[in-house]
């Protein structure tokens, strides 16, 4: 209904901002990410999302479209409400949330206060395909070190090597070249095990 506001920034706090448009003040719930990007200038443009419930109409503000899209996707997941989505976007940047979902990184999602293991897995399961449609997959940074390292370690465990033994070798391989793919990490590690 209300997709954006252009007006005078009356008040700015880490959790909310008040924007006046033609004499009407709009109270916008914002994330820390948006707070950090809001200019201190008087005249601003901010994207919004209006959440309508039985007992309230709540307006959320976003510094950019990307954050608003991530917010909308997050609240579409069962068990993730608007306040949890806002907390997630305050703890992690929209890019971090997107990359964590695209790469199936449960610990990163779970690191957000109020999100348990099951909810983190549900977020990833429900949004993995959607988040890749919203953002070009080429844009998603393969957190090469962490994700590739973990995948390589899991593969080596399946092959019968102990985690401790594998980790030393994989760390040694990655210290020489951090841009290696999972396959190449495994190949190099197998040569050294």
């Amino acid at each position: 209904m209300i997709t954006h506001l252009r007006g005078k920034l009356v008040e700015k706090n880490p959790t909310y901002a008040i924007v006046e448009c033609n004499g009407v003040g709009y109270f916008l719930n914002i994330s820390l990410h948006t707070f950090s990007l809001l200019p201190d200038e008087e005249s601003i443009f901010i994207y919004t999302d209006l959440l309508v419930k039985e007992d309230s109409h709540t307006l959320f503000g976003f510094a950019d479209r990307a954050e608003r899209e991530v917010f909308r996707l997050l609240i579409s997941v069962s068990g993730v409400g608007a306040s949890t989505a806002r907390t997630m976007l305050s703890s992690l940047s929209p890019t971090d949330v997107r990359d964590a979902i695209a790469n199936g990184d449960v610990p990163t999602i779970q690191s957000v206060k109020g999100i348990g293991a099951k909810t983190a897995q549900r977020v990833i399961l429900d949004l993995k395909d959607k988040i890749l449609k919203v953002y070009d997959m080429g844009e998603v940074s393969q957190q090469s070190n962490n994700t590739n390292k973990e995948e390589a370690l899991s593969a080596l465990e399946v092959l019968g090597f102990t985690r401790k033994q594998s980790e030393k070798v994989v760390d040694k391989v990655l210290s020489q070249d951090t841009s290696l793919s999972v396959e190449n990490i495994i190949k190099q590690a197998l040569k050294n095990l």
Side-chain angles (χ1 to χ4, degrees), residues 74 77-81 84 88 101 106 109-110 112 114-127:
L74 289 171
V77 176
S78 170
V80 177
T84 305
M88 196 182 284
I101 292 169
V106 175
I109 303 286
Q110 205 178 331
V112 176
I115 293 196
K118 284 188 178 175
T119 307
Q121 289 167 347
R122 193 178 313 118
V123 165
I124 290 168
L125 187 69
D126 289 2
L127 300 183

Side-chain angles (χ1 to χ4, degrees), residues 3 28-31 33-34 37-38 45-50 59-72 85-86 89:
T3 189
L28 301 167
N29 292 284
I30 60 172
S31 67
H33 175 74
T34 294
L37 294 176
L38 276 182
F45 178 88
I46 190 163
Y47 292 97
T48 61
D49 190 60
L50 179 65
L59 202 55
F60 290 87
F62 308 96
D64 51 43
R65 273 192 178 150
E67 184 180 14
R68 182 176 66 181
E69 284 309 308
V70 172
F71 177 82
R72 285 176 174 169
R86 182 170 72 160
L89 289 166

Side-chain angles (χ1 to χ4, degrees), residues 19 30 35 46 50 69 76 87 105 108 111 116 123-124 138-139 141 148 151 161 168-170 173 177 181-182 186:
V19 178
I30 60 172
F35 174 75
I46 190 163
L50 179 65
E69 284 309 308
S76 73
T87 303
D105 189 354
T108 299
S111 70
V123 165
I124 290 168
E139 214 181 287
S141 67
N148 289 354
E151 284 183 34
F161 297 99
K168 284 180 186 172
V169 176
V170 168
V173 168
D177 185 1
S181 66
V182 177
I186 295 168

Side-chain angles (χ1 to χ4, degrees), residues 137-151:
M137 183 54 192
E139 214 181 287
V140 175
S141 67
Q142 292 292 327
Q143 298 170 330
S144 50
N145 297 357
N146 274 346
T147 311
N148 289 354
K149 177 183 173 180
E150 286 305 315
E151 284 183 34

Side-chain angles (χ1 to χ4, degrees), residues 15 27 29 38 41 63 80 103 150-151 156-157 162 164 169:
T15 56
F27 183 96
N29 292 284
L38 276 182
E41 300 153 20
V80 177
N103 294 322
E150 286 305 315
E151 284 183 34
L156 290 168
E157 272 184 275
T162 64
K164 212 173 203 178
V169 176

